[in-house]
Amino acid sequence: MTSTPDPLHFPPRFAWGVATASYQIEGAPAEDGKGPSIWDTFSHTPGQVRGGDTGDVACDHYHRLEADLDLIQSLGVNAYRFSVAWPRLQPAGRGPVNQQGLDFYSRMVDGLLTRGITPWLTLYHWDLPQALQDQGGWPSRDTALAFGEYAALVAGALGDRVKHFITVNEPWVAAFLGHAVGIHAPGHTDLAESYAAAHHLLVGHGLAVQAVRAHAPGAQVGITLNLYEGYPATDTPEDRAATRRQDGFQNRWYLDPVFGRGYPQDIVELLGDASPQAQGLVLPGDVELMGVPTDFLGVNMYSRSVVEDAPGEGFLHSRAIQPQGSEYTGFGWEVAPQSLTDLMLRLQREYDPPAIYITENGATYPDTVNEDGTVQDADRTRYFQTHLGALEDAITQGAKVRGYFAWSLMDNFEWAEGYDKRFGLVYVDFGTQARTLKQSGRWYRDFLARTRKAVGA
Ligand code: IFM
């Protein structure tokens, strides 16, 4: 059973934060020497993003940095997770740093530290330099090598002040939605290509960990995976086996290599010719590189999967279903807080990470601004309450969870859904750029204030 969270049950020095990503909030796509990313290209391709939306302006965060840092501070968080836009630093993906791009993130880091907020820097949240895509993108091993160089550059430039690095955000999304389903940049639809991309994202992760260790000594580094705990639709052996396959596809394909075990053999076999092994992409040393030890596992959790056997459907012969009687968010994702407890306990039991950070958790609902200017997002508020309650349950049962980042600080460019799907604690009027703290934002702020009081901070 999940409950409302008790501040006292979270460990001391817990990271309490909010999260964002560069392309989703910054705007300024061609300013101060920035090069184009695959998301600039993709969003400008007719028919790819709902309503023809692009990230050209987004939350205009690039021009509103100081005010947004004040906004973050007003929530009472002690940590902020953001991502660096690779093409701001290296406009063509390789080569010397673009100083103006670096200055922006340097100002951000200083502004956070001045406000008593710990920066959590994600190196890759999907905005690959277009120049690297033109040379083959993630399906090419060269992109992983370039990513290692970029990671060294960022760690060297900011590692004197940034002590927490996340290498890659959600490789499953970048690889599968970008290269097999085609609804994310670069918009390709080839299963084998998507597994080549996934492999190089994991190799790139390993190279980035090594780069952070070399150039930012003492910093902590890990990867963020989007994980869904799986449950069989019925208790039949067929549905249980299908759930295991789905888990291999979604979770174990990334967890196993990151924890040094290489790829799960059951999924390698199901993939056949599309597997990275069959494509000859797994080079000697790759298993060690992908599994290079990290300091924490970042987990993005939104929902669970309920799975039934479906012979002949896709290479997994399974199907995710939406159980009747459940509650769903505006994305049609089931609200399933108990699965967060189950997921945390399972990760601790099966992989034993040194620490787990929830690097994203949140919900989209169709918000409306009332006549008095308030946004009463009771559903989202309850979502945060119940998920923090579920996290508390996992912690009291032994999961080493050390931080939580709400997704997201503010409404932003939600990828293929454009501005239609709002995830923010803060409502953004995209016409005026006015920011309004929602009910959920007030709840989170007040919960954090109670937490600080409870621990005497
Ligand atoms: O907005 C995204 C984010 O960029 C990555 N994780 C999921 C969020 C909601 O879809």
Side-chain angles (χ1 to χ4, degrees):
M1 267 301 285
T2 57
S3 50
T4 46
D6 178 343
L8 278 175
H9 288 155
F10 292 88
R13 292 183 296 283
F14 199 79
W16 287 110
V18 285
T20 62
S22 46
Y23 190 73
Q24 295 183 270
I25 66 166
E26 286 178 2
E31 225 164 290
D32 294 339
K34 178 181 170 290
S37 80
I38 55 173
W39 268 96
D40 290 308
T41 308
F42 189 72
S43 67
H44 279 270
T45 307
Q48 299 293 29
V49 174
R50 181 192 285 262
D53 290 345
T54 73
D56 285 3
V57 178
C59 305
D60 198 30
H61 174 68
Y62 192 76
H63 299 119
R64 293 165 194 263
L65 179 61
E66 287 298 319
D68 284 343
L69 291 175
D70 288 343
L71 181 64
I72 296 167
Q73 186 181 30
S74 75
L75 291 171
V77 296
N78 60 25
Y80 174 57
R81 175 178 176 231
F82 63 96
S83 76
V84 170
W86 184 351
R88 260 192 218 293
L89 264 56
Q90 291 180 298
R94 283 203 138 113
V97 69
N98 169 35
Q99 192 58 43
Q100 285 175 293
L102 177 60
D103 287 349
F104 171 70
Y105 295 107
S106 194
R107 280 204 312 280
M108 184 189 304
V109 167
D110 288 343
L112 289 166
L113 292 172
T114 307
R115 290 168 176 82
I117 299 166
T118 302
W120 279 67
L121 186 156
T122 304
L123 288 162
Y124 186 71
H125 200 125
W126 309 346
D127 37 6
L128 183 73
Q130 180 62 42
L132 293 182
Q133 183 62 42
D134 297 341
Q135 291 157 40
W138 285 110
S140 157
R141 194 174 179 97
D142 275 352
T143 299
L145 305 184
F147 184 60
E149 292 163 22
Y150 156 72
L153 188 154
V154 176
L158 299 175
D160 55 336
R161 289 156 288 156
V162 176
K163 300 299 173 196
H164 299 87
F165 289 87
I166 294 167
T167 55
V168 175
N169 180 72
E170 300 184 1
W172 180 88
V173 172
F176 196 68
L177 298 190
H179 299 79
V181 184
I183 58 169
H184 275 208
H188 297 182
T189 52
D190 182 313
L191 186 68
E193 200 189 295
S194 85
Y195 276 86
H199 182 61
H200 297 133
L201 281 155
L202 290 171
V203 168
H205 153 73
L207 292 170
V209 172
Q210 292 178 336
V212 170
R213 299 258 185 257
H215 295 274
Q220 299 200 356
V221 59
I223 191 171
T224 278
L225 305 178
N226 58 317
L227 304 175
Y228 293 78
E229 190 61 359
Y231 302 82
T234 71
D235 201 27
T236 59
E238 290 79 13
D239 283 355
R240 277 191 269 122
T243 306
R244 177 82 184 151
R245 295 194 294 277
Q246 179 70 27
D247 179 65
F249 163 69
Q250 177 75 52
N251 304 323
R252 288 182 288 120
W253 190 261
Y254 299 91
L255 283 165
D256 283 9
V258 163
F259 284 91
R261 302 177 190 174
Y263 291 114
Q265 194 54 32
D266 55 339
I267 306 301
V268 173
E269 281 163 22
L270 284 168
L271 282 170
D273 290 348
S275 76
Q277 290 82 350
Q279 296 185 64
L281 300 174
V282 184
L283 304 189
D286 277 4
V287 171
E288 291 74 18
L289 187 53
M290 296 186 290
V292 64
T294 55
D295 301 300
F296 61 85
L297 174 66
V299 177
N300 291 354
M301 183 277 174
Y302 288 89
S303 187
R304 65 171 182 164
S305 13
V306 178
V307 185
E308 67 183 15
D309 188 38
E313 196 154 310
F315 73 95
L316 291 171
H317 309 283
S318 69
R319 175 187 312 135
I321 60 155
Q322 293 194 316
Q324 281 186 352
S326 289
E327 189 189 331
Y328 293 90
T329 70
F331 240 140
W333 299 349
E334 188 186 0
V335 178
Q338 176 64 45
S339 74
L340 178 58
T341 312
D342 296 345
L343 175 65
M344 295 297 103
L345 293 174
R346 180 254 177 127
L347 290 173
Q348 204 63 62
R349 197 172 54 241
E350 293 185 9
Y351 295 94
D352 198 24
I356 303 175
Y357 289 86
I358 302 299
T359 42
E360 287 180 28
N361 173 241
T364 179
Y365 290 100
D367 297 314
T368 48
V369 185
N370 296 327
E371 272 178 17
D372 64 0
T374 62
V375 179
Q376 302 295 341
D377 56 338
D379 288 343
R380 186 180 292 104
T381 305
R382 203 169 50 250
Y383 183 98
F384 283 122
Q385 283 172 339
T386 54
H387 283 75
L388 282 170
L391 204 57
E392 175 192 3
D393 290 347
I395 292 167
T396 52
Q397 291 173 64
K400 293 184 201 155
V401 184
R402 300 292 178 252
Y404 175 90
F405 293 79
W407 183 269
S408 179
L409 165 65
M410 55 187 162
D411 298 335
N412 56 49
F413 177 81
E414 178 52 34
W415 308 113
E417 298 297 320
Y419 297 99
D420 186 62
K421 297 279 184 286
R422 295 175 177 272
F423 274 90
L425 293 170
V426 172
Y427 183 91
V428 176
D429 178 327
F430 292 104
T432 64
Q433 291 296 342
R435 277 97 160 113
T436 305
L437 194 59
K438 301 178 191 175
Q439 177 191 355
S440 58
R442 290 198 301 275
W443 179 84
Y444 192 47
R445 179 196 62 194
D446 295 347
F447 169 73
L448 295 183
R450 285 200 301 282
T451 305
R452 277 196 304 280
K453 204 164 158 207
V455 299

